[in-house]
Amino acid sequence: MRRLLGAGGSVLAQVITAVGSLLLQVVAARELGTSGFAAFTLLTATLVVMTTVHTAWVGDSLTVLDRMDPQVRAGLLASLLGTLSLGAVLGTALALAYGALPGPRALLFGLLVTVWLLEDTGRRLLAARMEFGRLARNDGVHLLVTCAVLAGVHFTAGLSIEALLLAMAAGCAVSIGLVVLQAPREELALPRLGDADLRQVASFASWRAAQAALRPTTLLLARVAISVLVSGAALASTEAARLLLAPTLTLINGVGGFLLPRMVRLREAGEPLRARLALTGSVGLTAASAVSAVVAVVLTEPLQGFITGDRFDVSPLAVAGWGAYCVSIAATMPVSLLATAYRHSRLVFEVRLIESVVGLVVLTALLSLRPGLFDLAPFCIGTGGVVTAVILVLRLRALRLRALRTESSPHAIKADH
């Protein structure tokens, strides 16, 4: 029962977060037009990439490694300060490069990146402690604050990209405060940076961060390719189609948020590496994703007006493509999380890299030769997902058999560094 409640809390937290994200994107699609929505899409895609790298390096490390070890703890703090600083600088620079926020206004995106990453650290701390109910409550407050600020700005100054970013930053600030008030003192105690063991943290987190960043980076590059090789209007149409699959992505991410700490607990309890556990999760999520994809395609026409305000069309073919992409994620995620929990991050990175390169090559070739077929973009970037899941399963089974032959304990299985 506790496991079901934990999974439910994780999914609920993802639902709340996804509802907030969906709300902001629908507002952007309805109020900013194609050019404004395309710019907002590039900013949020960049934020997702930065958050993913930060989560993999800092968040996954504090989940998988012993965060109470003074040297590891200091290494995590040094990593946190590094990602916050780098995120602020890169966020500002990329906002200028995209032309989304000209001049000093680009600093607003840099500020958002900083508070967003800090809030994400607090979320991952609650997840590592298996406090998914508290995580869901905090995310609910975040959503309410974001909506309140957005409504206030709308009625006073009108909606703009700056208003959306300001509302997002306000929600983050309140959520950070809640984590500080709720977390035990020992979790918030600051270690001496001079004791930092960055090598131990990096030995796990480097491959994990590289692997985790592949998928959102692939999406970001795909969006840039659509915008450059076709048009901003094409990007807006493709992204509007993705919004119909937001509930499916929420379910997948919510289950993933529960699976990783759960798999880590199994490893710490001495359980052997069992690919069947991840394979069962993959089958269940894949089936659910396939059903939801069919529903989304059927509902494309009735929901189009709500999403875009009838400013532009949403293609059912693009919706089907995002459905196929969701199936690809569902098929691979549980298996990759199992490998991560047992510290085989390099293996996951190598497989994911092949998947990402193939998808981008196919997409670039398609858009270069037939730009009018941009609705097929989601199919292209999801290419190879199911195949990589099979590769991971076979590789994990080989690692387990090798460990059994050498009579090693589960803790003795060497990680891929």
Side-chain angles (χ1 to χ4, degrees):
M1 179 61 69
R2 291 184 62 183
R3 295 178 187 176
L4 290 176
L5 291 175
S10 178
V11 172
L12 178 59
Q14 289 292 335
V15 167
I16 295 172
T17 301
V19 166
S21 176
L22 180 61
L23 171 65
L24 291 170
Q25 292 177 78
V26 169
V27 169
R30 293 176 62 91
E31 302 296 332
L32 302 182
T34 55
S35 60
F37 182 45
F40 183 71
T41 293
L42 291 177
L43 289 179
T44 53
T46 301
L47 181 60
V48 169
V49 172
M50 293 182 177
T51 305
T52 301
V53 174
H54 171 84
T55 298
W57 191 288
V58 178
D60 287 349
S61 293
L62 68 84
T63 300
V64 177
L65 304 179
D66 182 7
R67 64 181 178 276
M68 292 304 173
D69 180 282
Q71 292 182 319
V72 172
R73 193 172 187 81
L76 290 173
L77 177 59
S79 299
L80 173 62
L81 295 176
T83 56
L84 293 180
S85 301
L86 185 61
V89 174
L90 284 179
T92 301
L94 289 174
L96 288 171
Y98 295 148
L101 292 168
R105 286 183 291 175
L107 292 171
L108 179 59
F109 185 62
L111 173 64
L112 172 62
V113 171
T114 303
V115 294
W116 193 276
L117 297 185
L118 191 57
E119 185 215 17
D120 181 75
T121 306
R123 297 184 79 256
R124 290 309 303 267
L125 177 61
L126 294 177
R129 293 176 56 82
M130 305 294 285
E131 296 179 353
F132 295 107
R134 181 170 290 175
L135 174 60
R137 289 194 297 270
N138 287 8
D139 286 347
V141 174
H142 179 170
L143 176 58
L144 290 176
V145 172
T146 300
C147 292
V149 173
L150 190 62
V153 174
H154 171 63
F155 288 116
T156 57
L159 289 178
S160 63
I161 291 181
E162 292 86 345
L164 292 171
L165 299 182
L166 177 63
M168 295 165 69
C172 288
V174 173
S175 183
I176 292 169
L178 289 175
V179 172
V180 172
L181 292 175
Q182 294 171 343
R185 296 301 96 185
E186 61 270 17
E187 293 283 12
L188 301 177
L190 297 178
R192 293 177 62 253
L193 286 176
D195 296 333
D197 186 357
L198 284 173
R199 177 175 297 181
Q200 181 177 353
V201 175
S203 65
F204 165 79
S206 56
W207 287 111
R208 173 57 179 162
Q211 172 263 313
L214 281 175
R215 182 163 279 152
T217 301
T218 300
L219 288 174
L220 174 59
L221 293 177
R223 287 159 175 150
V224 172
I226 294 172
S227 179
V228 172
L229 297 178
V230 188
S231 66
L235 175 59
S237 177
T238 305
E239 283 300 300
R242 184 185 61 82
L243 297 183
L244 289 172
L245 273 301
T248 305
L249 291 170
T250 298
L251 172 64
I252 296 172
N253 292 330
V255 173
F258 170 77
L259 281 179
L260 180 59
R262 175 60 187 162
M263 289 173 173
V264 170
R265 293 286 179 89
L266 291 176
R267 188 206 73 210
E268 293 174 343
E271 290 288 334
L273 193 156
R274 295 180 298 179
R276 182 178 297 178
L277 172 65
L279 186 58
T280 301
S282 294
V283 172
L285 280 177
T286 299
S289 299
V291 172
S292 66
V294 173
V295 173
V297 171
V298 172
L299 295 178
T300 299
E301 185 174 350
L303 293 179
Q304 175 178 289
F306 169 74
I307 293 176
T308 68
D310 291 324
R311 287 174 175 257
F312 50 91
D313 295 330
V314 179
S315 169
L317 182 60
V319 175
W322 285 116
Y325 176 74
C326 289
V327 169
S328 174
I329 296 178
T332 60
M333 184 197 66
V335 185
S336 64
L337 289 179
L338 179 65
T340 299
Y342 284 82
R343 303 186 181 182
H344 295 293
S345 299
R346 181 175 179 177
L347 167 62
V348 180
F349 170 76
E350 292 170 347
V351 174
R352 286 280 187 248
L353 180 60
I354 296 173
E355 177 183 328
S356 297
V357 170
V358 170
L360 287 174
V361 168
V362 173
L363 173 64
T364 304
L366 173 70
L367 297 181
S368 299
L369 297 174
R370 300 290 298 274
L373 298 180
F374 63 86
D375 287 337
L376 296 177
F379 286 105
C380 296
I381 57 181
T383 302
V386 177
V387 174
T388 57
V390 175
I391 295 174
L392 275 172
V393 170
L394 294 176
R395 179 60 176 153
L396 288 175
R397 287 181 63 86
L399 288 169
R400 182 173 182 270
L401 289 174
R402 185 178 66 185
L404 291 175
R405 283 197 300 267
T406 56
E407 297 183 352
S408 298
S409 68
H411 297 287
I413 299 176
K414 294 183 178 180
D416 291 317
H417 298 321

